[in-house]
Amino acid sequence: MITIMTPARNYTLSTSLQKNVEIIKEIFLNDDTLIHRPFENQRNPDLKCCIFYIDGMIDANIINKNIIVPITRNPVLKAEGNIINHLQYQIITSNEIQKTNDTNQLVTAIISGDTVLFVEGFPEALIINTKGWKTRSITEPVSERVLRGSREGFTESIIMNLSMIRRKIQTPDLKFEFLVLGNQTQTKACICYIDGIVNKKILTELYQRLENFNLDGALGINYIQECIKDHPLSPFKTTGNTERPDIVAAKLLEGRIALILDGTPVAMTVPYLFLEYFQSNEDYYLNFYFASIGRLLRILGFIITTSVPAIYLALVTFHQELIPTPLILSISAARQDVPFPSILELIILLTTFEILREAGTRIPTYIGQALSIVGALVLGQAAVQARFVSAPIVIVVALTGITGLMVPSLSGVAILSRASLLLLSALLGLYGYTFGVTAWLIHLFRIHSFGVPFTLDLTSFHLQDLKDTAIRAPWWYMKYRPKQITFNRRRIKSD
Amino acid sequence: MKKNALLFSIMLITMLLLSGCWNYREIDKLAIVSGLAIDKNAQGDQFLLTAEIIDLKETMTQSKIASRKIEAKGESIFDAMRNMIKISAKKLYWSHAKAIVVSKDVATQDIVSIVDWISRDHEARITLNLFVSKEQTASELLFQQSVTTDIRSFEMEDMLMGNRSLSKAPNVKVYEFMNDLSEEGISGILPALGITMNMDEKTAELSGTAVFKKEKFIGFLDEEDSKFLLFVKDKIKGGVYTIKVEEESPNEIITLEIFKNKTKITPVYNNDILSIMISTTTEVAIEEQNTTNNYIDEEGRKKLISIAEKTLEQDVENTIKKVQQDFGSDIFGFGRIVKAEMPSLWKTMDKKWDTIFKDLEVHVNSEIKIKNSSLTSAPLKVGD
């Protein structure tokens, strides 16, 4: 059940309808979306009622047909006895109805799209479910397209999102626990897990961290992620996010916990491990050979995008003897008459690429073509022909850029590590590069996600631990769930 | 605590920085050297160095590679090298140098200082190829017309690579030569380069072996002898072996292509006499014959094999004899084998190995296996 902490003001309802209406109006002072609609029974005008709701949050049909019509048109209704019980149990046709005298609860109900009904002579009110607002229909998420998976993506409505998960995992062990986040926004959130598979320690840890969430708003999942992260300053995220219900369902089955937040189509999953960056839900829907190749390519792409500029710089400016002779001749020929040192060339072009990418993500698609023409022709070819930059640098930057797009969720990390490795390379050559890589690895291996090592199984020698890492083993071979995330590890029913 | 951490990190940073090479240099500021020729002036007190530098020109559509030469004098090799900067303006970069040619004079007197520089300098590689020039000077080899690439020195290296399927000169890298110099019981050899005419233009060619005794160059072995030298040293990777089959008709020649060879050398000490047993096992194919006699059927093949084995034994023995008599330098490494297999015996003869080697008895036993006769199974028939 949702419990909302509203601004603590204590109002007590009275038996006078007039007074109750004034109380509600006072709480919602200056909020013009609050609608109040007084009405009476047509035969018996003594039965005075008044409903409150917020415009746009309700389904007007329900209010008209199921509340106003039954009460106003009922020929035998009289304002005597416990009429409010009579209304609750016999007159109003609604699937969810509740009687309360708690003003806080009434306010919450109004805000969340329910209708509150006051009756003359009772210090209580009925909360009637009339929620109904426009939601986006279910579409495929743009950022996570797949070829063979489901085309469903989360929407902004939490209830719809939960129903999508529920449809995929039809067991009573699937638990949905509601809570409310954001002091002002009062955003509904839901923690999902499968009882019996989930690691209770991680679950308690998540609850504890969410309790300490004190921001005034939670408009996107990242508001929460940044606040509950294990290592707040690390560029690696230790909580995952996805827009796809099938991914959430798969993670729940592995013993992970999902947090669905109202108002955003992005769900959060914990614990999140480094290798999950390279996993795609497509991997599990395709043939395992093909999926493994794709995953290896993604890992290779990440290594290339972080290292290639640094290695190129180190080779060209420090270790010319390591370059094969024909290659060094063509690099040297290309660099004749180029005005800037290699490091500056690289920095300029890498920055330009990031500018193009950033510009490309925010503009309407029809300008995108113009942008790519400017980027490719003007900056690439013309700059080389005018001898502003040397051709090998353009190749290096292009390779870096393309491989950087292979794992989009890592692009922040990629930019940071690429820049740091590049600077170290410029300072000390391959020696500096090695130091940079070592530092990054040390960082990578010391962070945790909810108590689980971020690089779990990366150094394991057991086949069962490696089945879903750099490669994706066949489904029948994945007998166990990942260790440390869950204690109920057997995935396949034992005979 | 904080102070310690600070101190520690400062120490760590300086340690890291000081142990690396601060050597940021742009590639276009270097003059990439492809090869070097070393001569001495007439008085014999100064080195004359000629370096071949790669000259890079890139136009909009293509890049052109040409070579340019720089000449400098100096008291020592390194001195002369640094003097080249006066001309080149750019610092010479030696890591991609492929070939060093030395003249006969330099090979006789100063091979040690060259090898020393190559192994000492951090840029020059010990996988360089050293050549001895058969001509008057070493530098003239750098000025001949090149056939396949525009860079003379790269072509020299390629010649040695191509020599795998020719086996007429030894492919000796600098580090191998260094090892031979420093070890007991073996003398060094280097490939030799000469000038020949190709399409009415002078060009460099690989021609045989330069023989050293200790650190001094003493003479050349010709190409055929070089091949049998490689047989003894078990360095045959390919090549051609022609034999005359019939005693009475010397024009009948069969050409065998060598595919594989394995040579085993065993020292034998009998009745106070040391002798060397060499056994070679060679896999060949009949590649060409200028007769119509059938050497492919069993009878002919047997005859061919026995003749080939006999001639090969003869050829190898002749070469060894020639080296023993003309040079007296153990370039085959017999002494090293004796040292390895009979250390106590070696101790009694290491001082006088030079004289022992000259009269050393060597027996060669060859075995030839004919793998196939290429694509034909019978000799060509010539009708009327």
Side-chain angles (χ1 to χ4, degrees), chain A residues 234-408:
Chain A
S234 169
F236 294 100
K237 38 174 208 182
T238 48
T239 53
N241 36 25
T242 177
E243 284 189 51
R244 305 186 60 96
D246 53 336
I247 293 183
V248 168
K251 303 230 156 161
L252 291 180
L253 284 175
E254 284 182 349
R256 290 188 166 85
I257 305 161
L259 180 87
I260 319 278
L261 189 70
D262 199 19
T264 171
V266 186
M268 175 183 98
T269 56
V270 288
Y272 188 74
L273 307 183
F274 183 56
L275 276 167
E276 284 179 66
Y277 275 121
F278 302 102
Q279 295 170 348
S280 143
N281 57 342
E282 189 93 73
D283 292 349
Y284 302 98
Y285 301 145
L286 295 175
N287 171 294
F288 59 93
Y289 289 117
F290 192 64
S292 301
I293 292 170
R295 207 176 268 181
L296 286 170
L297 282 179
R298 266 172 250 140
I299 294 173
L300 184 71
F302 177 64
I303 295 171
I304 288 177
T305 197
T306 51
S307 295
V308 158
I311 291 178
Y312 173 81
L313 186 74
L315 289 184
V316 164
T317 57
F318 285 86
H319 314 284
Q320 289 93 349
E321 64 275 8
L322 289 181
I323 311 174
T325 308
L327 186 60
I328 200 178
L329 294 185
S330 53
I331 292 176
S332 187
R335 266 205 62 79
Q336 300 295 321
D337 308 326
V338 172
F340 303 114
S342 301
I343 170 75
L344 204 59
E345 274 186 290
L346 269 173
I347 291 174
I348 291 172
L349 269 190
L350 283 172
T351 317
T352 314
F353 177 81
E354 293 304 329
I355 288 170
L356 282 176
R357 188 187 55 80
E358 185 64 24
T361 49
R362 305 263 175 267
I363 54 165
T365 40
Y366 53 86
I367 316 181
Q369 290 199 336
L371 187 83
S372 55
I373 289 170
V374 170
L377 289 183
V378 178
L379 288 173
Q381 197 160 352
V384 171
Q385 285 192 353
R387 292 222 161 276
F388 281 12
V389 292
S390 59
I393 296 270
V394 177
I395 298 170
V396 165
V397 170
L399 185 68
T400 311
I402 291 168
T403 47
L405 299 175
M406 286 175 82
V407 189

Side-chain angles (χ1 to χ4, degrees), chain B residues 64-117:
Chain B
K64 198 170 168 278
I65 292 174
S67 83
R68 196 175 277 187
K69 318 292 187 297
I70 293 181
E71 216 173 41
K73 277 185 213 165
E75 309 247 309
S76 69
I77 290 174
F78 194 67
D79 182 35
M81 264 165 201
R82 278 292 151 95
N83 283 341
M84 284 179 181
I85 301 179
K86 290 194 288 188
I87 304 165
S88 72
K90 292 175 178 179
K91 190 172 170 290
L92 300 191
Y93 186 63
W94 292 93
S95 287
H96 287 276
K98 302 288 183 203
I100 294 184
V101 189
V102 296
S103 69
K104 281 178 280 189
D105 291 349
V106 175
T108 320
Q109 297 160 23
D110 298 298
I111 201 75
V112 170
S113 58
I114 293 167
V115 172
D116 178 76
W117 170 72

Side-chain angles (χ1 to χ4, degrees), chain B residues 300-319:
Chain B
R301 199 164 59 211
K302 261 189 192 154
K303 189 174 170 195
L304 177 66
I305 287 175
S306 71
I307 292 169
E309 285 173 348
K310 211 170 285 166
T311 34
L312 183 62
E313 283 165 13
Q314 201 63 50
D315 286 336
V316 171
E317 273 172 18
N318 284 346
T319 301

Side-chain angles (χ1 to χ4, degrees), chain B residues 6-179:
Chain B
L6 190 73
L7 205 68
F8 181 72
S9 48
I10 288 175
M11 270 166 60
L12 201 69
I13 288 168
T14 40
M15 216 157 70
L16 298 184
L17 293 187
L18 292 179
S19 44
C21 278
W22 288 91
N23 212 357
Y24 185 99
R25 50 190 178 181
E26 287 294 343
I27 216 165
D28 50 321
K29 302 285 184 292
L30 300 173
I32 299 168
V33 179
S34 57
L36 178 71
I38 305 175
D39 288 299
K40 281 206 134 175
N41 66 353
Q43 292 80 30
D45 59 350
Q46 275 200 318
F47 285 101
L48 280 172
L49 262 59
T50 314
E52 184 180 41
I53 287 179
I54 299 170
D55 189 25
L56 298 156
K57 285 199 191 75
E58 198 186 50
T59 57
M60 214 65 102
T61 47
Q62 59 175 32
S63 59
K64 198 170 168 278
I65 292 174
S67 83
R68 196 175 277 187
K69 318 292 187 297
I70 293 181
E71 216 173 41
K73 277 185 213 165
E75 309 247 309
S76 69
I77 290 174
F78 194 67
D79 182 35
M81 264 165 201
R82 278 292 151 95
N83 283 341
M84 284 179 181
I85 301 179
K86 290 194 288 188
I87 304 165
S88 72
K90 292 175 178 179
K91 190 172 170 290
L92 300 191
Y93 186 63
W94 292 93
S95 287
H96 287 276
K98 302 288 183 203
I100 294 184
V101 189
V102 296
S103 69
K104 281 178 280 189
D105 291 349
V106 175
T108 320
Q109 297 160 23
D110 298 298
I111 201 75
V112 170
S113 58
I114 293 167
V115 172
D116 178 76
W117 170 72
I118 293 171
S119 62
R120 203 181 284 269
D121 192 83
H122 72 277
E123 278 183 6
R125 295 176 184 234
I126 55 168
T127 52
L128 268 169
N129 298 298
L130 257 181
F131 297 91
V132 178
S133 166
K134 275 188 158 173
E135 308 302 319
Q136 279 302 304
T137 61
S139 62
E140 63 188 290
L141 284 166
L142 287 181
F143 289 93
Q144 307 310 321
Q145 189 224 9
S146 32
V147 180
T148 47
T149 77
D150 291 327
I151 315 288
R152 192 63 261 188
S153 312
F154 289 176
E155 205 176 14
M156 290 178 187
E157 191 196 31
D158 292 346
M159 282 195 274
L160 272 185
M161 302 291 273
N163 187 49
R164 277 174 71 93
S165 46
L166 184 67
S167 297
K168 284 191 172 173
N171 185 355
V172 180
K173 304 279 182 196
V174 168
Y175 68 93
E176 292 166 316
F177 183 67
M178 273 158 59
N179 290 346

